[in-house]
Amino acid sequence: MLTVEGLEVRLGSKVVLEGVTFTAGRGLLLIAGPNGAGKSTLFKAVLNLLPYRGKICVDGVCGPERVRHIGYVPQRIQIEAPATVWEFVYIPTRLRGARDAAERAREALKLAGISELRDRPVAALSGGQLQRAAVARALATGGEVLLLDEPLSNIDPQGRIEILSLLSELKRERVVLMTSHELTLPSDLADRVLLLNRRVVAFGAPGEVLREEVLRRIYRYVRIARTPEGLVCATEDYGAH
């Protein structure tokens, strides 16, 4: 379980996050909000990548060592050197000191459904394949809590379907947090939704949060799009009031 209590993040004199409190258990927590709402900053705080006030714990581990239990997929995946898919997943796992790094990498590739791509250069992957390779690396290096920053951006419709299908499997045994500015697709997969705009605007089941009167608190424009479950979603991000 991930627990965040009274989180405050300042960048210079600017308050980016203030009084953010929530818990995330097994399942998928969708974190939504307009550009500049603090979604990526929240992930950086959880990963101990910037100073913050408050308390962040993973299964009761509240210090920097909690990061060992977290896998992270950034919004922009950097390919820093020529590497195969296997090297992309295995090497970071080994560098974290995992004695069973090879086994963890093999299992992660299997879970991500890309075992057959292990010898392919990462640079030759499609957008959806690269995203799954990044998920595999996150599973191998951490995996109990997964943080995915805008995993549906910059991939084609088929890649989106594959990622959502993968997340539907992973969330059964893990804590998965996913940010998105587009809500119609991931809302059907989410178990809980955190609506963020520097502070927590709403937190709860999708049916409680994804309502027009709630979304209009932070979106200047809400395009009405009803999912099969009847939820109202903001499908375009026009910034906060």
Side-chain angles (χ1 to χ4, degrees):
M1 176 175 287
L2 172 68
T3 304
V4 177
E5 297 180 6
L7 177 63
E8 179 182 307
V9 177
R10 291 177 176 266
L11 298 179
S13 61
K14 181 180 180 181
V15 179
V16 182
L17 293 173
E18 184 176 18
V20 174
T21 296
F22 67 91
T23 59
R26 182 179 299 178
L28 190 144
L29 171 61
L30 176 62
I31 302 174
N35 288 330
K39 301 186 295 293
S40 296
T41 299
L42 170 62
F43 278 7
K44 290 177 182 178
V46 172
L47 291 163
N48 206 47
L49 295 177
L50 45 72
Y52 66 87
R53 294 180 179 176
K55 191 175 182 180
I56 304 174
C57 305
V58 175
D59 291 335
V61 180
C62 304
E65 59 272 20
R66 68 174 181 273
V67 176
R68 297 184 64 85
H69 304 281
I70 301 172
Y72 174 53
V73 179
Q75 184 174 353
R76 294 178 179 82
I77 302 167
Q78 300 292 329
I79 305 173
E80 298 176 355
T84 65
V85 170
W86 170 258
E87 292 166 338
F88 183 73
V89 175
Y90 168 73
I91 291 175
T93 309
R94 188 71 183 91
L95 290 175
R96 276 207 176 188
R99 296 180 179 178
D100 57 344
E103 179 59 31
R104 292 174 67 164
R106 280 192 292 269
E107 182 62 23
L109 290 172
K110 181 179 178 181
L111 285 171
I114 54 172
S115 295
E116 73 281 4
L117 301 178
R118 60 173 285 159
D119 296 321
R120 184 173 298 184
V122 175
L125 299 179
S126 68
Q129 290 169 339
L130 178 58
Q131 194 67 245
R132 284 192 285 161
V135 171
R137 183 170 64 174
L139 287 168
T141 55
E144 297 168 37
V145 174
L146 293 178
L147 309 180
L148 296 95
D149 198 356
E150 298 282 357
L152 301 181
S153 63
N154 303 317
I155 58 176
D156 60 26
Q158 181 58 38
R160 288 184 171 200
I161 292 171
E162 292 172 356
I163 291 298
L164 290 171
S165 176
L166 172 59
L167 294 180
S168 70
E169 294 296 322
L170 295 179
K171 73 169 191 167
R172 296 179 182 180
E173 300 296 333
R174 294 169 178 80
V175 181
V176 181
L177 282 71
M178 167 185 168
T179 67
S180 180
H181 70 276
E182 196 280 331
L183 303 182
T184 306
L185 283 175
S187 64
D188 290 336
L189 186 64
D191 299 287
R192 307 273 279 176
V193 177
L194 176 69
L195 199 59
L196 187 68
N197 192 25
R198 195 175 73 175
R199 303 179 180 89
V200 174
V201 177
F203 175 56
E208 299 171 354
V209 176
L210 299 179
R211 304 196 314 270
E212 185 175 357
E213 63 270 23
V214 178
L215 293 173
R216 287 194 187 279
R217 296 178 192 171
I218 62 171
Y219 289 97
R220 291 180 180 172
Y221 175 79
V222 177
R223 176 186 293 173
I224 303 303
R226 297 194 180 276
T227 71
E229 282 71 20
L231 306 177
V232 176
C233 299
T235 58
E236 294 187 14
D237 183 357
Y238 284 82
H241 287 293

